[in-house]
Amino acid sequence: MIARILATARIEANIARRNRWVLIAVLLMVVFSLVLSAAGSAPTGALGADRLSVVVASLTSLSVYLVPLVALLMSFDAIAGEVERGTLPLLLTYPVARWEVLAGKLLAHVVILIVALVAGYGAAAIVAISADAGAVAGLDALWRLTWTSVLLGATFLGIGYAVSALSRRASGAAGLAIGVWLGLVVLYDLGLLAAVVADEGGFFTRQVFPVALLANPADAFRLFNLSAAEASAAASGVAGAARAIPQWQSLGSVVIWPFVALLLAALTFRKVDA
């Protein structure tokens, strides 16, 4: 079983290397992290936090948008591409279960994501610590951001596989993946904000709003990292909610979502005809 998963992972890693996804993901994370490291640490003195903690608060906002997008762009072609190229029937003639195919693809994509995250966050940490030796106090926050970013990426990789299996054509899967990103990462928060403004402190704001935040993997990721960070005030728009919702609840959502997404992907993949 392990050998079959590793073999699938090697094939998927070679495809990602040929498609320049490793290079693209690393460059995106490094460039955006360095930009935020230069601009996001400006209010260090006003917040009373170390430089790296402030940078981590900025990187949290970056990761909410960038990590799901990179994960979806890497995964939308995983099943639909095999169907469109006619390689899926050949792949399934080998003694390999469908869940093992998904596990191999997930392993390769998660490793690529980890390389990109370590490169991006590492570059930001080096810049922050070089400018202020006291910034090492923020390494715990950076480590927390790194492993939760991997879980967030795994969630959207699973969603991407489900989208890919559902579409069965790469072009349709790409459009649907962008739609999912817009809906979950951008429009979801705007909808909640509009509802809170219209509710004026009523039932929705007090009872539904916290649950709605925890139900979205991107919001749960942001809440957990901001509630645990000393510099949560750097992201004033979510800081209030981060303090109001218990940290264990947002952590639970961050941990559970990858399994839910991968289960959804496995169930969808089972319905794809070879």
Side-chain angles (χ1 to χ4, degrees), residues 13-198:
N14 287 330
I15 293 173
R17 183 174 53 82
R18 285 199 301 270
N19 291 338
R20 302 288 190 272
W21 270 118
V22 181
L23 180 63
I24 292 170
V26 170
L27 284 178
L28 280 175
M29 290 305 302
V30 170
V31 170
F32 281 101
S33 295
L34 287 178
V35 170
L36 283 183
S37 179
S41 59
T44 303
L47 295 174
D50 64 272
R51 188 184 185 95
L52 185 55
S53 294
V54 177
V55 170
V56 167
S58 299
L59 289 176
T60 300
S61 299
L62 166 71
S63 302
V64 165
Y65 293 96
L66 195 55
V67 171
L69 181 62
V70 171
L72 286 170
L73 291 178
M74 281 197 296
S75 59
F76 80 87
D77 190 49
I79 308 299
E82 300 275 6
V83 173
E84 205 165 60
R85 291 189 294 270
T87 54
L88 184 62
L90 176 62
L91 176 64
L92 295 180
T93 58
Y94 292 102
V96 55
R98 294 190 180 217
W99 73 268
E100 292 173 336
V101 174
L102 278 182
K105 290 176 180 291
L106 176 68
L107 178 60
H109 290 149
V110 166
V111 169
I112 294 170
L113 197 60
I114 290 174
V115 170
L117 290 172
V118 170
Y121 295 169
I126 290 172
V127 170
I129 295 174
S130 298
D132 177 13
V136 293
L139 286 177
D140 286 345
L142 185 68
W143 165 242
R144 184 170 51 246
L145 176 66
T146 303
W147 65 262
T148 52
S149 295
V150 174
L151 291 178
L152 179 65
T155 297
F156 278 88
L157 284 172
I159 293 174
Y161 299 148
V163 165
S164 188
L166 192 64
S167 301
R168 306 187 186 188
R169 292 183 62 86
S171 56
L176 193 54
I178 295 300
V180 168
W181 180 78
L182 282 173
L184 288 180
V185 178
V186 180
L187 299 180
Y188 190 89
D189 285 350
L190 292 178
L192 289 182
L193 179 61
V196 167
V197 172

Side-chain angles (χ1 to χ4, degrees), residues 168-273:
R168 306 187 186 188
R169 292 183 62 86
S171 56
L176 193 54
I178 295 300
V180 168
W181 180 78
L182 282 173
L184 288 180
V185 178
V186 180
L187 299 180
Y188 190 89
D189 285 350
L190 292 178
L192 289 182
L193 179 61
V196 167
V197 172
D199 186 53
E200 296 182 344
F203 177 79
F204 180 87
T205 304
R206 290 181 280 105
Q207 303 297 330
V208 179
F209 181 62
V211 177
L213 286 176
L214 293 174
N216 186 316
D219 283 327
F221 163 83
R222 179 159 44 191
L223 288 173
F224 174 69
N225 281 286
L226 290 181
S227 64
E230 295 179 4
S232 61
S236 57
V238 192
R243 288 191 292 268
I245 297 175
Q247 191 178 354
W248 68 267
Q249 292 183 4
S250 54
L251 175 61
S253 180
V254 169
V255 172
I256 290 172
W257 257 109
F259 296 99
V260 173
L262 292 173
L263 178 61
L264 179 64
L267 293 176
T268 311
F269 189 28
R270 286 179 59 184
K271 297 180 180 179
V272 177
D273 298 328

